[in-house]
Amino acid sequence: QVQLVESGGGLVQAGGSLRLSCTGSGNIISISAMGWYRQAPGKQRELVALIRSGGSTNYADSVKGRFTISRDNAKNTVFLQMNSLKPEDTAVYYCAAHYGLTDYWGQGTQVTVSS
């Protein structure tokens, strides 16, 4: 049973920073493309950042230059460093492992940015 557990969410003022972590069971982190997604109230879930097993990354335009995705395969963990946070970044953030045709999701962590 693959498990992904997110942590690091919370309440922060605009302009602040948070670092989200997602720890996976077994070696799922190292063999998968890992993504951070977010879903704000009343909106669809959207991709924030993706890191492939080879290390290449993609970011949503709205977070480029502010967020950084990284992984530590030895710790089975993927990170999302979020800087210069804005109120519009408020959402539940989910990590996901994309392995072949299978997706695994964490339970989500709330990020709230106050103005």
Side-chain angles (χ1 to χ4, degrees):
Q1 180 84 11
V2 172
Q3 289 188 322
L4 298 171
V5 179
E6 301 101 331
S7 61
L11 174 64
V12 64
Q13 288 188 330
S17 298
L18 284 174
R19 188 173 83 152
L20 305 183
S21 300
C22 172
T23 300
S25 57
N27 64 345
I28 192 64
I29 299 288
S30 63
I31 65 174
S32 302
M34 297 299 302
W36 282 100
Y37 296 76
R38 67 186 180 188
Q39 187 166 19
K43 295 188 176 181
Q44 289 188 329
R45 190 174 297 188
E46 62 174 352
L47 176 66
V48 175
L50 183 78
I51 184 166
R52 297 173 183 81
S53 56
S56 62
T57 58
N58 289 98
Y59 296 92
D61 288 343
S62 59
V63 307
K64 281 181 182 176
R66 300 189 298 123
F67 290 11
T68 303
I69 189 171
S70 61
R71 67 200 302 160
D72 185 334
N73 291 337
K75 296 182 178 179
N76 298 316
T77 302
V78 62
F79 303 98
L80 185 68
Q81 178 67 43
M82 305 187 294
N83 299 327
S84 303
L85 282 161
K86 305 175 181 180
E88 51 264 43
D89 295 318
T90 295
V92 178
Y93 283 70
Y94 301 88
C95 74
H98 305 296
Y99 180 63
L101 299 178
T102 304
D103 300 325
Y104 302 95
W105 293 87
Q107 82 289 349
T109 185
Q110 176 71 45
V111 171
T112 303
V113 184
S114 63
S115 58

